[in-house]
Amino acid sequence: MRKHLRRVRDIGLRRLVIAVALLIAVMAASVAGYLASRNTTDQESFFGDDSNPDRVNVTVWITKVDPTTQQLSVTIVDVAPNGALADTDGNFTQDVTLTTAAIGNWKADIKAGDSAPDIEQKVSVDGAVTDYPFDRYTGRLEVHVFNAQGNNLPLALTVVNTDPFFGLTTTAATSQNGGLAVKLGLHRSAPTIVFAVFIMLLMLGLATGAVVAAFYILHWRRGLIFPGCSMMAAILFALIPLRNAVPGNPPIGSIIDFGSFFIAEAVISMSLISSIVLGFRHQRSIERAESALAEEIPSDDAATAAAERP
């Protein structure tokens, strides 16, 4: 008896150790995924001639990617002259003009002796938002700093991505008029893709659950089972806020819709309607059979009683 109890205790302890080890492994993998995905935020890329002592340092922050309007919000900060271009206070020794290939406010004049302001601009990008969550965008960032004579000054450009929903790839491009040009490649961050794909699989799984419930109701002619119908109705209307919960607010007609949402809605709707309509017919058959059985039972009792009379 003691050996049996000791064996049971050892088995339970072994299972507990395995469960704890699996939990630690899952948590470690999840944290590793976070550490890998955090590199998509605050990415820094460097371009230009940073070895030239007489240059202008420019930092461009990519703050938000708006796929709907096909625009990229950028902030130009830390426009700082170096070497012979800077005075004792670190400002420009002469008037300069900063221009970018942006939408709207693409030009900023900086006076000699004044510190450069932060400049908010919009840059156009190209891509298909309906490819969500696998949509990708391309753009071009071009920066020039002209002196008073209209000549390009040497630049050292730093591009920083701070949008947590997008990853960034940058490559140097050529500019016909001097300055610096950078090709931008934007894609959804790994956590965004993982979450969107999980939602797609979840919607298809819920649709499968509705099909199983409808099969249980209809195949064995269970009649109207209101808990099953209520479950399917709840899932049907819950899919709408679930679909809208994905990050990025993709428009209707995206891959997520044709790949899962529309399919799940159609399957659950057909399962619910067939369970109600055909279940009602089966319920009527069940009730008629019960009524006929109830009528036969009193007649049998009367015949039995008459046979027992003397």
Side-chain angles (χ1 to χ4, degrees):
M1 184 66 179
R2 291 181 179 178
K3 291 182 179 180
H4 177 72
L5 293 176
R6 188 181 302 110
R7 189 181 301 110
V8 171
R9 185 173 62 251
D10 293 341
I11 293 174
L13 181 60
R14 190 181 303 112
R15 290 178 178 176
L16 178 61
V17 171
I18 293 174
V20 171
L22 289 175
L23 178 61
I24 294 174
V26 170
M27 293 178 63
S30 180
V31 173
Y34 160 73
L35 294 175
S37 65
R38 68 178 296 189
N39 294 328
T40 60
T41 305
D42 293 337
Q43 290 174 275
E44 292 187 2
S45 304
F46 303 95
F47 302 92
D49 187 9
D50 56 357
S51 62
N52 191 335
D54 302 326
R55 68 182 187 276
V56 180
N57 292 332
V58 180
T59 301
V60 177
W61 291 78
I62 298 176
T63 56
K64 182 176 177 58
V65 181
D66 190 346
T68 305
T69 60
Q70 302 282 285
Q71 290 182 359
L72 194 67
S73 298
V74 300
T75 303
I76 300 175
V77 298
D78 297 336
V79 182
N82 288 268
L85 301 177
D87 59 17
T88 56
D89 295 328
N91 299 322
F92 285 95
T93 58
Q94 58 180 316
D95 294 347
V96 298
T97 301
L98 186 146
T99 64
T100 61
I103 302 171
N105 182 23
W106 54 271
K107 181 178 179 181
D109 295 322
I110 305 173
K111 298 296 182 181
D114 293 342
S115 58
D118 295 342
I119 304 169
E120 303 283 345
Q121 293 191 334
K122 301 284 187 180
V123 177
S124 62
V125 294
D126 183 42
V129 66
T130 51
D131 289 344
Y132 181 93
F134 309 109
D135 48 333
R136 292 177 175 270
Y137 304 90
T138 58
R140 179 183 174 90
L141 182 65
E142 190 170 342
V143 180
H144 300 263
V145 177
F146 298 101
N147 59 15
Q149 291 74 37
N151 300 320
N152 274 287
L153 297 177
L155 293 178
L157 179 64
T158 302
V159 180
V160 182
N161 175 37
T162 60
D163 191 333
F165 299 106
F166 282 88
L168 174 68
T169 58
T170 55
T171 55
T174 57
S175 176
Q176 297 179 352
N177 301 322
L180 283 178
V182 179
K183 291 182 180 179
L184 305 176
L186 298 154
H187 56 274
R188 299 282 177 177
S189 63
T192 300
I193 295 177
V194 170
F195 184 72
V197 172
F198 169 75
I199 293 297
M200 294 173 67
L201 295 176
L202 178 60
M203 288 190 289
L204 294 176
L206 293 174
T208 303
V211 171
V212 172
F215 179 80
Y216 174 80
I217 294 173
L218 300 177
H219 183 72
W220 284 281
R221 299 177 179 271
R222 301 287 181 176
L224 279 175
I225 300 182
F226 290 102
C229 295
S230 300
M231 180 199 72
M232 286 184 278
I235 294 175
L236 179 66
F237 291 101
L239 287 187
I240 297 174
L242 181 64
R243 186 266 180 205
N244 293 332
V246 295
N249 297 319
I252 291 294
S254 302
I255 289 180
I256 190 175
D257 298 316
F258 287 99
S260 61
F261 179 67
F262 291 161
I263 297 174
E265 287 283 287
V267 169
I268 296 172
S269 299
M270 290 187 291
S271 299
L272 176 61
I273 293 173
S274 60
S275 296
I276 293 176
V277 174
L278 299 180
F280 174 75
R281 294 178 58 186
H282 297 158
Q283 186 67 35
R284 293 283 295 175
S285 300
I286 293 172
E287 292 177 353
R288 284 195 294 268
E290 291 177 348
S291 298
L293 182 61
E295 291 177 356
E296 291 177 0
I297 290 175
S299 60
D300 292 342
D301 292 343
T304 302
E308 291 178 351
R309 288 186 192 133

